[in-house]
Amino acid sequence: MSYYKLIIAYSGTAYHGWQQQKDAVSVAGMLQARFKKTFGHDITLVGASRTDAGVHAMGQVAVFKTEITIEPTIMMRAWNGCLPPDILIRSLDFAPEIFHPQRNVLEKTYYYHIFTQRPLPWFAPYGLYYYRPLDNQKLHDALQVFAGTHDFRSFCTGDDMECTIRTVNSLTFSYMKRYSMYRIIVKGPGFLRYMIRRMVGAAINVASTDIPVEKVTEVLEQKHPLHTLPTAPAHGLMLRKIIYTMDTHE
């Protein structure tokens, strides 16, 4: 039995998230189906992050076991050769069985992209077009409300996990003039479902209206997911990379 680790990039536009689903096309489901078509064996991929429908990735990490043993570069070339153009295996190698993609995570990095002008059609699926001007200072201050360790029950689905305490290492942003685009960078060891999208949505809303930054703090402290601050759409979010305590990669 061989144990492999792979790093995958994908556009989430055509998929119902990472996790395999019975009645919908998912990224993991597509990878598994094309593996069987190429090598004649079933596999089950275990991924690091269960990205939602429409969310993209440059650095999703996954592992699988198989009864066959194939040199990783040969396997990757053949597997990539039968994948659709919106999924790419960036690296593939043997891994020790003690490695699990959901354990010993030092830091995950996510990007959220916001276009300030209507983007070209081939960029549009990878960022939110937001026509209202953003106040940079308010955007910064609203994002910093989430830095550190907090109970994020107000900024997730609210019912997906018993413990909703998480640590956000940093939230920063830059304006990329060439693309008329903001890039918000969120880093932390782990996030709840919808957490990043709800944080970003709240910060954008505050930065583009007369709603005070204190409103974000108030909602965070209420620890209740039912509030009026919006959730940012999925297509602006991308899993950039995952760093492990004993392993790093780009």
Side-chain angles (χ1 to χ4, degrees):
M1 189 71 71
S2 298
Y3 193 66
Y4 293 90
K5 169 192 169 186
L6 56 159
I7 300 171
I8 312 141
Y10 51 85
S11 168
T13 303
Y15 300 96
H16 291 261
W18 161 263
Q19 197 74 7
Q20 183 175 12
Q21 301 178 44
K22 184 178 180 181
D23 300 315
V25 179
S26 69
V27 178
M30 178 62 72
L31 282 158
Q32 290 167 178
R34 294 304 173 89
F35 185 94
K36 184 174 183 179
K37 181 179 179 180
T38 305
F39 303 107
H41 287 260
D42 288 308
I43 60 168
T44 298
L45 286 166
V46 178
S49 294
R50 296 180 63 175
T51 56
D52 294 322
V55 175
H56 316 292
M58 282 185 65
Q60 173 73 283
V61 179
V63 295
F64 68 96
K65 293 179 181 179
T66 179
E67 297 175 354
I68 60 175
T69 300
I70 300 175
E71 204 278 323
T73 56
I74 296 174
M75 178 183 285
M76 187 172 78
R77 186 182 306 117
W79 199 354
N80 267 332
C82 72
L83 287 172
D86 51 8
I87 301 177
L88 174 72
I89 300 169
R90 297 180 61 200
S91 72
L92 189 152
D93 211 339
F94 293 113
E97 289 200 39
I98 59 170
F99 175 77
H100 192 288
Q102 298 168 7
R103 300 174 190 154
N104 302 313
V105 174
L106 181 64
E107 187 173 76
K108 295 181 180 181
T109 299
Y110 281 85
Y111 291 165
Y112 197 95
H113 292 127
I114 305 163
F115 294 110
T116 57
Q117 295 182 19
R118 184 173 173 178
L120 292 167
W122 42 88
F123 292 145
Y126 305 103
L128 167 66
Y129 168 48
Y130 198 75
Y131 64 92
R132 291 180 174 177
L134 296 176
D135 181 317
N136 285 356
Q137 188 60 55
K138 287 186 74 178
L139 180 61
H140 171 271
D141 293 346
L143 289 172
Q144 296 319 302
V145 170
F146 302 112
T149 302
H150 307 280
D151 187 335
F152 285 94
R153 188 167 296 276
S154 294
F155 290 92
C156 62
T157 59
D159 57 3
D160 55 343
M161 304 191 81
E162 290 185 8
C163 179
T164 49
I165 297 174
R166 294 291 184 275
T167 298
V168 179
N169 294 346
S170 64
L171 303 97
T172 59
F173 70 89
S174 60
Y175 187 72
M176 305 174 74
K177 186 175 180 180
R178 179 180 180 184
Y179 301 105
S180 300
M181 181 185 78
Y182 282 92
R183 171 177 287 168
I184 296 176
I185 304 171
V186 184
K187 297 184 178 185
F191 303 95
L192 299 160
R193 192 176 185 194
Y194 296 173
M195 179 175 158
I196 295 177
R197 290 169 54 199
R198 296 200 79 177
M199 291 190 302
V200 170
I204 294 171
N205 190 230
V206 167
S208 61
T209 66
D210 58 1
I211 297 173
V213 173
E214 289 73 23
K215 176 65 175 179
V216 180
T217 303
E218 175 187 322
V219 170
L220 181 65
E221 293 175 349
Q222 286 174 351
K223 301 179 181 64
H224 198 293
L226 297 179
H227 54 79
T228 58
L229 294 174
T231 301
H235 67 277
L237 185 61
M238 181 180 72
L239 172 59
R240 171 62 183 88
K241 67 178 178 179
I242 304 172
I243 298 174
Y244 295 87
T245 54
M246 298 297 291
D247 170 74
T248 62
H249 73 269
E250 285 297 320

